[in-house]
Amino acid sequence: MSTALVLLTIGLTLFTAGSWVALNIRGAAASLERRAAANAELAMHARGDLGPARRVASAGFYRFLGTVIALCGTVLTLGGLLESL
Protein backbone atom coordinates (compact mmCIF):
# COMPACT_ATOMS: atom_id res chain seq x y z
CA MET A 1 0.00 0.00 0.00
CA SER A 2 1.45 3.34 -1.00
CA THR A 3 2.24 6.11 1.44
CA ALA A 4 0.06 8.55 -0.51
CA LEU A 5 -3.03 6.37 -0.08
CA VAL A 6 -2.41 6.01 3.66
CA LEU A 7 -1.90 9.76 4.11
CA LEU A 8 -5.02 10.57 2.09
CA THR A 9 -7.16 8.09 4.05
CA ILE A 10 -5.95 9.20 7.47
CA GLY A 11 -6.02 12.89 6.49
CA LEU A 12 -9.58 12.80 5.20
CA THR A 13 -10.74 10.84 8.25
CA LEU A 14 -9.14 13.33 10.64
CA PHE A 15 -10.50 16.26 8.67
CA THR A 16 -14.04 14.86 8.75
CA ALA A 17 -13.98 13.99 12.46
CA GLY A 18 -12.34 17.28 13.46
CA SER A 19 -14.75 19.33 11.38
CA TRP A 20 -17.69 17.48 12.88
CA VAL A 21 -16.67 18.54 16.39
CA ALA A 22 -15.29 21.99 15.46
CA LEU A 23 -18.51 23.02 13.73
CA ASN A 24 -20.58 21.39 16.50
CA ILE A 25 -22.65 19.44 13.98
CA ARG A 26 -25.66 17.89 15.71
CA GLY A 27 -24.27 19.03 19.07
CA ALA A 28 -21.08 16.96 18.94
CA ALA A 29 -19.04 19.29 21.17
CA ALA A 30 -21.89 19.71 23.66
CA SER A 31 -22.38 15.95 23.91
CA LEU A 32 -18.64 15.46 24.48
CA GLU A 33 -18.86 17.99 27.32
CA ARG A 34 -21.83 16.15 28.88
CA ARG A 35 -20.07 12.80 28.50
CA ALA A 36 -16.91 14.09 30.22
CA ALA A 37 -18.98 15.49 33.09
CA ALA A 38 -20.86 12.20 33.50
CA ASN A 39 -17.60 10.20 33.47
CA ALA A 40 -16.07 12.52 36.07
CA GLU A 41 -19.14 12.12 38.26
CA LEU A 42 -19.06 8.32 37.93
CA ALA A 43 -15.36 8.24 38.80
CA MET A 44 -15.99 10.37 41.88
CA HIS A 45 -18.85 8.12 43.02
CA ALA A 46 -16.63 5.06 42.54
CA ARG A 47 -14.05 6.66 44.87
CA GLY A 48 -16.74 7.42 47.42
CA ASP A 49 -16.75 11.18 46.91
CA LEU A 50 -20.36 12.33 46.71
CA GLY A 51 -19.68 16.02 46.12
CA PRO A 52 -20.23 17.87 42.87
CA ALA A 53 -18.06 16.82 39.96
CA ARG A 54 -15.48 19.34 38.83
CA ARG A 55 -15.70 20.59 35.28
CA VAL A 56 -13.16 18.85 33.07
CA ALA A 57 -13.49 20.68 29.75
CA SER A 58 -16.02 22.96 28.11
CA ALA A 59 -17.63 22.65 24.70
CA GLY A 60 -15.40 25.50 23.51
CA PHE A 61 -12.32 23.47 24.41
CA TYR A 62 -13.62 20.49 22.43
CA ARG A 63 -14.35 22.78 19.47
CA PHE A 64 -10.77 24.09 19.66
CA LEU A 65 -9.41 20.53 19.68
CA GLY A 66 -11.65 19.66 16.74
CA THR A 67 -10.22 22.62 14.83
CA VAL A 68 -6.65 21.49 15.53
CA ILE A 69 -7.48 17.92 14.44
CA ALA A 70 -9.16 19.18 11.25
CA LEU A 71 -6.10 21.30 10.41
CA CYS A 72 -3.82 18.31 10.97
CA GLY A 73 -6.06 16.28 8.68
CA THR A 74 -5.76 18.97 6.03
CA VAL A 75 -1.96 18.88 6.27
CA LEU A 76 -1.91 15.08 5.96
CA THR A 77 -4.29 15.18 3.01
CA LEU A 78 -2.15 17.76 1.22
CA GLY A 79 0.92 15.66 1.98
CA GLY A 80 -0.77 12.64 0.45
CA LEU A 81 -1.71 14.62 -2.64
CA LEU A 82 1.86 15.88 -3.03
CA GLU A 83 3.19 12.35 -2.52
CA SER A 84 0.99 11.01 -5.30
CA LEU A 85 2.36 13.50 -7.85
Side-chain angles (χ1 to χ4, degrees):
M1 195 143 85
S2 72
T3 306
L5 185 62
V6 171
L7 286 175
L8 282 171
T9 304
I10 292 173
L12 288 174
T13 303
L14 286 176
F15 178 76
T16 303
S19 298
W20 191 271
V21 175
L23 298 174
N24 201 18
I25 297 174
R26 297 188 69 189
S31 66
L32 283 172
E33 179 184 22
R34 287 191 306 269
R35 182 178 179 191
N39 284 340
E41 185 177 344
L42 285 174
M44 288 179 63
H45 286 293
R47 288 191 309 260
D49 185 7
L50 299 178
R54 63 182 179 92
R55 188 173 182 160
V56 178
S58 66
F61 177 73
Y62 286 115
R63 292 182 75 182
F64 172 74
L65 285 180
T67 303
V68 170
I69 290 171
L71 289 175
C72 291
T74 303
V75 169
L76 287 175
T77 302
L78 291 175
L81 288 174
L82 289 175
E83 181 78 23
S84 66
L85 294 177

Coordinates of all heavy atoms in Angstrom, one line a residue:
M1 N 0.8 -1.2 0.0 CA 0.0 0.0 0.0 C 0.9 1.2 0.0 O 1.9 1.3 0.8 CB -0.9 0.0 1.2 CG -2.0 0.9 1.2 SD -3.5 0.3 1.9 CE -3.4 0.7 3.6
S2 N 0.6 2.2 -0.8 CA 1.4 3.3 -1.0 C 1.3 4.3 0.2 O 0.2 4.4 0.8 CB 1.2 4.0 -2.3 OG -0.1 4.7 -2.3
T3 N 2.3 5.1 0.4 CA 2.2 6.1 1.4 C 1.2 7.2 1.1 O 0.5 7.7 2.1 CB 3.6 6.8 1.6 OG1 4.6 5.7 1.8 CG2 3.7 7.7 2.8
A4 N 1.0 7.5 -0.1 CA 0.1 8.6 -0.5 C -1.4 8.1 -0.1 O -2.1 8.9 0.4 CB 0.2 8.8 -2.0
L5 N -1.7 6.9 -0.4 CA -3.0 6.4 -0.1 C -3.3 6.4 1.4 O -4.4 6.8 1.9 CB -3.2 5.0 -0.6 CG -4.6 4.3 -0.5 CD1 -5.6 5.2 -1.2 CD2 -4.6 2.9 -1.0
V6 N -2.3 6.0 2.2 CA -2.4 6.0 3.7 C -2.6 7.4 4.2 O -3.5 7.7 5.0 CB -1.2 5.3 4.3 CG1 -1.2 5.5 5.8 CG2 -1.1 3.9 4.0
L7 N -1.8 8.4 3.7 CA -1.9 9.8 4.1 C -3.2 10.4 3.7 O -3.9 11.1 4.5 CB -0.8 10.6 3.5 CG 0.6 10.4 4.1 CD1 1.6 11.2 3.4 CD2 0.6 10.8 5.6
L8 N -3.7 10.1 2.5 CA -5.0 10.6 2.1 C -6.1 10.0 3.0 O -7.1 10.7 3.4 CB -5.3 10.2 0.6 CG -4.6 11.1 -0.4 CD1 -4.7 10.5 -1.8 CD2 -5.1 12.5 -0.3
T9 N -6.1 8.7 3.2 CA -7.2 8.1 4.0 C -7.2 8.7 5.5 O -8.2 9.1 6.0 CB -7.0 6.6 4.1 OG1 -6.9 6.1 2.8 CG2 -8.1 5.9 4.9
I10 N -6.0 8.7 6.1 CA -6.0 9.2 7.5 C -6.3 10.7 7.5 O -7.0 11.2 8.4 CB -4.6 8.9 8.1 CG1 -4.4 7.4 8.3 CG2 -4.4 9.6 9.4 CD1 -3.0 7.0 8.7
G11 N -5.8 11.5 6.5 CA -6.0 12.9 6.5 C -7.5 13.2 6.3 O -8.0 14.1 7.0
L12 N -8.2 12.5 5.4 CA -9.6 12.8 5.2 C -10.4 12.4 6.4 O -11.4 13.0 6.8 CB -10.1 12.1 3.9 CG -9.6 12.7 2.6 CD1 -10.0 11.9 1.4 CD2 -10.1 14.1 2.5
T13 N -10.0 11.3 7.0 CA -10.7 10.8 8.2 C -10.6 11.9 9.4 O -11.6 12.2 10.0 CB -10.2 9.5 8.7 OG1 -10.4 8.5 7.6 CG2 -11.0 9.0 9.9
L14 N -9.4 12.3 9.6 CA -9.1 13.3 10.6 C -9.9 14.6 10.3 O -10.4 15.3 11.2 CB -7.6 13.6 10.8 CG -6.8 12.5 11.5 CD1 -5.4 12.9 11.5 CD2 -7.3 12.3 12.9
F15 N -9.8 15.0 9.1 CA -10.5 16.3 8.7 C -12.0 16.2 8.9 O -12.6 17.1 9.4 CB -10.2 16.6 7.2 CG -10.9 17.8 6.7 CD1 -10.5 19.1 7.1 CD2 -12.1 17.7 6.0 CE1 -11.1 20.2 6.7 CE2 -12.7 18.9 5.5 CZ -12.3 20.1 5.9
T16 N -12.6 15.0 8.6 CA -14.0 14.9 8.8 C -14.4 14.9 10.2 O -15.3 15.5 10.7 CB -14.5 13.6 8.1 OG1 -14.1 13.6 6.7 CG2 -16.0 13.4 8.2
A17 N -13.7 14.1 11.0 CA -14.0 14.0 12.5 C -13.7 15.3 13.2 O -14.5 15.8 14.0 CB -13.1 12.9 13.1
G18 N -12.6 16.0 12.8 CA -12.3 17.3 13.5 C -13.3 18.3 13.1 O -13.8 19.1 13.9
S19 N -13.7 18.4 11.8 CA -14.7 19.3 11.4 C -16.1 19.1 12.0 O -16.8 20.0 12.4 CB -14.9 19.3 9.9 OG -13.7 19.6 9.2
W20 N -16.4 17.8 12.2 CA -17.7 17.5 12.9 C -17.8 18.1 14.3 O -18.8 18.7 14.7 CB -17.8 16.0 13.0 CG -19.2 15.5 13.3 CD1 -19.6 15.2 14.6 CD2 -20.2 15.1 12.5 NE1 -20.9 14.8 14.6 CE2 -21.3 14.7 13.3 CE3 -20.4 15.2 11.1 CZ2 -22.5 14.3 12.7 CZ3 -21.6 14.8 10.6 CH2 -22.6 14.4 11.4
V21 N -16.7 18.0 15.0 CA -16.7 18.5 16.4 C -16.5 20.1 16.4 O -17.1 20.8 17.1 CB -15.6 17.9 17.2 CG1 -15.5 18.5 18.6 CG2 -15.9 16.4 17.4
A22 N -15.6 20.6 15.5 CA -15.3 22.0 15.5 C -16.5 22.8 15.1 O -16.7 23.9 15.6 CB -14.2 22.3 14.5
L23 N -17.3 22.3 14.2 CA -18.5 23.0 13.7 C -19.7 22.7 14.6 O -20.8 23.2 14.3 CB -18.8 22.7 12.3 CG -17.7 23.2 11.3 CD1 -18.0 22.7 9.9 CD2 -17.5 24.7 11.4
N24 N -19.5 21.8 15.6 CA -20.6 21.4 16.5 C -21.8 20.9 15.8 O -23.0 21.2 16.1 CB -21.0 22.5 17.4 CG -21.6 22.1 18.7 OD1 -21.5 20.9 19.1 ND2 -22.3 23.0 19.4
I25 N -21.6 20.0 14.8 CA -22.6 19.4 14.0 C -23.4 18.5 14.9 O -22.9 17.6 15.5 CB -22.1 18.7 12.7 CG1 -21.4 19.7 11.8 CG2 -23.2 18.0 12.0 CD1 -20.7 19.1 10.7
R26 N -24.7 18.7 14.9 CA -25.7 17.9 15.7 C -25.3 17.9 17.2 O -25.5 16.9 17.9 CB -25.8 16.5 15.2 CG -26.4 16.4 13.8 CD -26.7 15.1 13.3 NE -27.8 14.5 14.1 CZ -28.2 13.3 14.0 NH1 -27.6 12.5 13.2 NH2 -29.2 12.9 14.7
G27 N -24.6 18.9 17.7 CA -24.3 19.0 19.1 C -23.1 18.1 19.5 O -23.1 17.7 20.7
A28 N -22.2 17.9 18.6 CA -21.1 17.0 18.9 C -20.2 17.5 20.1 O -19.9 16.7 21.0 CB -20.2 16.7 17.7
A29 N -19.9 18.7 20.1 CA -19.0 19.3 21.2 C -19.8 19.3 22.5 O -19.2 19.0 23.6 CB -18.5 20.7 20.8
A30 N -21.1 19.7 22.4 CA -21.9 19.7 23.7 C -22.1 18.3 24.2 O -22.0 18.1 25.5 CB -23.2 20.3 23.4
S31 N -22.2 17.3 23.4 CA -22.4 16.0 23.9 C -21.1 15.4 24.5 O -21.1 14.7 25.5 CB -22.9 15.0 22.8 OG -22.0 14.9 21.8
L32 N -19.9 15.8 23.9 CA -18.6 15.5 24.5 C -18.5 16.1 25.9 O -17.9 15.4 26.8 CB -17.5 15.9 23.6 CG -17.2 15.0 22.3 CD1 -16.2 15.7 21.4 CD2 -16.8 13.6 22.7
E33 N -18.9 17.3 26.0 CA -18.9 18.0 27.3 C -19.7 17.3 28.3 O -19.3 17.0 29.5 CB -19.3 19.4 27.2 CG -19.3 20.2 28.5 CD -19.9 21.6 28.3 OE1 -20.6 21.9 27.4 OE2 -19.5 22.4 29.2
R34 N -21.0 16.9 28.0 CA -21.8 16.2 28.9 C -21.3 14.8 29.2 O -21.3 14.3 30.4 CB -23.2 16.0 28.3 CG -24.0 17.3 28.2 CD -25.5 17.0 27.9 NE -25.6 16.3 26.6 CZ -25.7 16.9 25.4 NH1 -25.7 18.2 25.3 NH2 -25.9 16.1 24.3
R35 N -20.6 14.1 28.3 CA -20.1 12.8 28.5 C -18.9 12.9 29.5 O -18.8 12.1 30.4 CB -19.6 12.2 27.2 CG -19.1 10.8 27.3 CD -18.7 10.2 26.0 NE -18.1 8.9 26.2 CZ -17.5 8.2 25.3 NH1 -17.4 8.7 24.1 NH2 -17.0 7.0 25.5
A36 N -18.0 13.9 29.3 CA -16.9 14.1 30.2 C -17.4 14.4 31.6 O -16.8 13.9 32.6 CB -16.0 15.2 29.7
A37 N -18.4 15.2 31.8 CA -19.0 15.5 33.1 C -19.6 14.2 33.7 O -19.4 14.0 34.9 CB -20.0 16.6 33.0
A38 N -20.3 13.4 33.0 CA -20.9 12.2 33.5 C -19.8 11.2 33.9 O -19.9 10.6 35.0 CB -21.8 11.6 32.5
N39 N -18.7 11.1 33.1 CA -17.6 10.2 33.5 C -16.9 10.7 34.7 O -16.5 9.9 35.6 CB -16.6 10.1 32.3 CG -17.1 9.2 31.2 OD1 -18.0 8.4 31.4 ND2 -16.6 9.4 30.0
A40 N -16.7 12.0 34.9 CA -16.1 12.5 36.1 C -16.9 12.2 37.3 O -16.4 11.9 38.4 CB -15.8 14.0 35.9
E41 N -18.2 12.4 37.1 CA -19.1 12.1 38.3 C -19.1 10.6 38.6 O -19.1 10.3 39.8 CB -20.6 12.5 37.9 CG -21.5 12.4 39.0 CD -22.9 12.9 38.7 OE1 -23.0 13.6 37.7 OE2 -23.8 12.6 39.4
L42 N -19.1 9.8 37.6 CA -19.1 8.3 37.9 C -17.8 7.9 38.6 O -17.7 7.1 39.5 CB -19.2 7.5 36.6 CG -20.6 7.5 36.1 CD1 -20.6 6.8 34.7 CD2 -21.6 6.7 37.0
A43 N -16.7 8.5 38.2 CA -15.4 8.2 38.8 C -15.3 8.7 40.3 O -14.8 8.0 41.1 CB -14.2 8.9 38.0
M44 N -15.9 9.9 40.5 CA -16.0 10.4 41.9 C -16.9 9.5 42.8 O -16.5 9.2 43.9 CB -16.5 11.8 41.9 CG -15.5 12.8 41.4 SD -16.1 14.5 41.4 CE -16.3 14.8 43.1
H45 N -18.0 9.0 42.2 CA -18.8 8.1 43.0 C -18.2 6.8 43.3 O -18.3 6.2 44.4 CB -20.2 7.9 42.3 CG -21.1 9.1 42.4 ND1 -21.7 9.5 43.5 CD2 -21.5 9.9 41.4 CE1 -22.4 10.6 43.2 NE2 -22.3 10.8 41.9
A46 N -17.4 6.3 42.3 CA -16.6 5.1 42.5 C -15.6 5.2 43.6 O -15.3 4.3 44.4 CB -16.0 4.6 41.2
R47 N -15.0 6.4 43.8 CA -14.1 6.7 44.9 C -14.7 6.9 46.2 O -14.1 7.0 47.2 CB -13.2 7.8 44.5 CG -12.2 7.6 43.4 CD -11.2 8.7 43.3 NE -11.8 10.0 43.2 CZ -11.9 10.7 42.1 NH1 -11.6 10.2 40.9 NH2 -12.5 11.9 42.1
G48 N -16.0 7.1 46.2 CA -16.7 7.4 47.4 C -16.9 8.9 47.7 O -17.5 9.3 48.7
D49 N -16.6 9.7 46.8 CA -16.7 11.2 46.9 C -18.1 11.5 46.3 O -18.4 11.4 45.1 CB -15.6 11.9 46.2 CG -15.7 13.4 46.4 OD1 -16.5 13.9 47.2 OD2 -14.9 14.1 45.7
L50 N -19.0 12.0 47.2 CA -20.4 12.3 46.7 C -20.6 13.8 46.4 O -21.7 14.2 46.3 CB -21.4 11.8 47.7 CG -21.3 10.3 48.0 CD1 -22.3 9.9 49.0 CD2 -21.6 9.5 46.7
G51 N -19.5 14.6 46.4 CA -19.7 16.0 46.1 C -19.9 16.3 44.6 O -20.0 15.4 43.8
P52 N -20.0 17.5 44.3 CA -20.2 17.9 42.9 C -19.0 17.6 42.0 O -17.9 17.8 42.5 CB -20.6 19.4 42.9 CG -19.9 19.9 44.1 CD -20.0 18.7 45.1
A53 N -19.2 17.1 40.8 CA -18.1 16.8 40.0 C -17.5 18.1 39.4 O -18.2 19.1 39.1 CB -18.5 16.0 38.8
R54 N -16.1 18.1 39.4 CA -15.5 19.3 38.8 C -15.6 19.3 37.3 O -15.6 18.2 36.7 CB -14.0 19.4 39.3 CG -13.2 18.3 38.8 CD -11.7 18.5 39.4 NE -10.9 17.4 39.0 CZ -10.1 17.5 37.9 NH1 -10.2 18.6 37.1 NH2 -9.4 16.5 37.5
R55 N -15.6 20.5 36.7 CA -15.7 20.6 35.3 C -14.4 20.3 34.6 O -13.3 20.8 34.9 CB -16.1 22.0 34.9 CG -16.4 22.2 33.5 CD -17.0 23.6 33.3 NE -17.3 23.8 31.9 CZ -18.2 24.7 31.5 NH1 -18.7 25.5 32.4 NH2 -18.4 24.8 30.3
V56 N -14.4 19.3 33.7 CA -13.2 18.9 33.1 C -12.8 19.7 31.9 O -11.7 20.3 31.8 CB -13.3 17.4 32.6 CG1 -12.1 16.9 31.9 CG2 -13.6 16.5 33.8
A57 N -13.7 19.9 30.9 CA -13.5 20.7 29.7 C -14.8 21.2 29.2 O -15.9 20.5 29.3 CB -12.8 19.9 28.7
S58 N -14.8 22.4 28.6 CA -16.0 23.0 28.1 C -16.2 22.6 26.6 O -15.3 22.0 26.0 CB -16.0 24.5 28.2 OG -15.0 25.0 27.4
A59 N -17.4 22.9 26.1 CA -17.6 22.6 24.7 C -16.7 23.5 23.8 O -16.3 23.0 22.7 CB -19.1 22.9 24.4
G60 N -16.3 24.7 24.3 CA -15.4 25.5 23.5 C -14.0 24.9 23.4 O -13.4 24.9 22.3
F61 N -13.6 24.2 24.4 CA -12.3 23.5 24.4 C -12.4 22.3 23.4 O -11.4 22.1 22.6 CB -12.0 23.0 25.8 CG -10.7 22.2 25.8 CD1 -9.5 22.8 25.7 CD2 -10.7 20.8 26.0 CE1 -8.3 22.1 25.8 CE2 -9.5 20.1 26.1 CZ -8.3 20.7 25.9
Y62 N -13.5 21.6 23.4 CA -13.6 20.5 22.4 C -13.7 21.0 21.0 O -13.2 20.4 20.1 CB -14.8 19.6 22.7 CG -14.6 18.8 24.0 CD1 -15.4 18.9 25.1 CD2 -13.7 17.8 23.9 CE1 -15.2 18.1 26.2 CE2 -13.5 17.0 25.1 CZ -14.2 17.1 26.2 OH -14.0 16.4 27.3
R63 N -14.3 22.2 20.8 CA -14.4 22.8 19.5 C -13.0 23.2 19.0 O -12.6 23.1 17.9 CB -15.3 24.0 19.5 CG -16.8 23.5 19.6 CD -17.7 24.6 19.5 NE -17.8 25.0 18.1 CZ -18.6 26.0 17.7 NH1 -19.3 26.7 18.6 NH2 -18.6 26.3 16.4
F64 N -12.2 23.7 20.0 CA -10.8 24.1 19.7 C -10.0 22.9 19.3 O -9.2 22.9 18.3 CB -10.1 24.8 20.9 CG -8.6 25.0 20.7 CD1 -8.2 26.0 19.8 CD2 -7.7 24.2 21.4 CE1 -6.8 26.2 19.7 CE2 -6.4 24.4 21.2 CZ -5.9 25.4 20.4
L65 N -10.1 21.8 20.0 CA -9.4 20.5 19.7 C -9.9 20.0 18.3 O -9.0 19.5 17.6 CB -9.6 19.5 20.8 CG -8.9 19.6 22.1 CD1 -9.2 18.5 23.0 CD2 -7.4 19.7 21.8
G66 N -11.1 20.1 18.0 CA -11.6 19.7 16.7 C -11.0 20.5 15.6 O -10.7 19.9 14.5
T67 N -10.8 21.8 15.8 CA -10.2 22.6 14.8 C -8.8 22.2 14.6 O -8.3 22.1 13.4 CB -10.3 24.1 15.3 OG1 -11.6 24.5 15.5 CG2 -9.6 25.0 14.3
V68 N -8.1 21.9 15.7 CA -6.7 21.5 15.5 C -6.6 20.2 14.8 O -5.7 20.0 13.9 CB -6.0 21.4 16.9 CG1 -4.6 20.7 16.8 CG2 -5.9 22.8 17.5
I69 N -7.5 19.2 15.1 CA -7.5 17.9 14.4 C -7.8 18.1 13.0 O -7.2 17.4 12.1 CB -8.4 17.0 15.2 CG1 -7.9 16.6 16.5 CG2 -8.7 15.7 14.3 CD1 -8.8 15.8 17.4
A70 N -8.8 19.0 12.6 CA -9.2 19.2 11.2 C -8.0 19.8 10.5 O -7.8 19.4 9.3 CB -10.4 20.1 11.2
L71 N -7.3 20.7 11.1 CA -6.1 21.3 10.4 C -5.0 20.3 10.2 O -4.4 20.3 9.1 CB -5.6 22.5 11.2 CG -6.5 23.7 11.2 CD1 -5.9 24.8 12.1 CD2 -6.6 24.3 9.8
C72 N -4.8 19.4 11.2 CA -3.8 18.3 11.0 C -4.3 17.4 9.9 O -3.4 16.9 9.1 CB -3.6 17.5 12.3 SG -2.8 18.5 13.6
G73 N -5.5 17.1 9.8 CA -6.1 16.3 8.7 C -5.8 16.9 7.3 O -5.5 16.2 6.3
T74 N -6.0 18.2 7.3 CA -5.8 19.0 6.0 C -4.3 18.9 5.6 O -4.0 18.6 4.4 CB -6.1 20.4 6.2 OG1 -7.5 20.5 6.6 CG2 -5.9 21.2 4.9
V75 N -3.4 19.0 6.6 CA -2.0 18.9 6.3 C -1.6 17.5 5.8 O -0.9 17.3 4.8 CB -1.1 19.2 7.5 CG1 0.3 18.9 7.3 CG2 -1.3 20.7 7.8
L76 N -2.2 16.4 6.4 CA -1.9 15.1 6.0 C -2.5 14.8 4.6 O -1.9 14.1 3.8 CB -2.5 14.1 7.0 CG -1.7 13.9 8.3 CD1 -2.4 13.0 9.2 CD2 -0.3 13.5 8.0
T77 N -3.7 15.4 4.3 CA -4.3 15.2 3.0 C -3.5 15.9 1.9 O -3.2 15.3 0.9 CB -5.7 15.8 3.0 OG1 -6.5 15.1 4.0 CG2 -6.4 15.6 1.7
L78 N -3.0 17.1 2.2 CA -2.2 17.8 1.2 C -0.8 17.0 1.0 O -0.3 16.9 -0.1 CB -1.9 19.2 1.7 CG -3.1 20.1 1.6 CD1 -2.8 21.5 2.2 CD2 -3.6 20.2 0.2
G79 N -0.3 16.5 2.1 CA 0.9 15.7 2.0 C 0.7 14.4 1.1 O 1.6 14.0 0.3
G80 N -0.5 13.8 1.3 CA -0.8 12.6 0.5 C -1.0 13.0 -1.0 O -0.5 12.3 -1.9
L81 N -1.5 14.2 -1.3 CA -1.7 14.6 -2.6 C -0.4 14.9 -3.3 O -0.1 14.6 -4.4 CB -2.6 15.8 -2.7 CG -4.1 15.6 -2.4 CD1 -4.9 16.9 -2.4 CD2 -4.7 14.7 -3.5
L82 N 0.5 15.6 -2.5 CA 1.9 15.9 -3.0 C 2.7 14.6 -3.2 O 3.5 14.5 -4.2 CB 2.6 16.8 -2.1 CG 2.1 18.3 -2.0 CD1 2.8 19.1 -1.0 CD2 2.3 18.9 -3.4
E83 N 2.5 13.6 -2.4 CA 3.2 12.4 -2.5 C 2.7 11.6 -3.8 O 3.5 10.9 -4.4 CB 2.9 11.5 -1.3 CG 3.6 10.2 -1.3 CD 5.1 10.3 -0.9 OE1 5.5 11.2 -0.2 OE2 5.8 9.4 -1.3
S84 N 1.5 11.8 -4.1 CA 1.0 11.0 -5.3 C 1.4 11.6 -6.6 O 1.3 11.0 -7.7 CB -0.5 10.9 -5.2 OG -1.1 12.2 -5.4
L85 N 1.9 12.9 -6.6 CA 2.4 13.5 -7.8 C 3.7 13.0 -8.3 O 4.5 12.5 -8.2 CB 2.5 15.0 -7.7 CG 1.1 15.7 -7.4 CD1 1.4 17.2 -7.2 CD2 0.2 15.5 -8.6

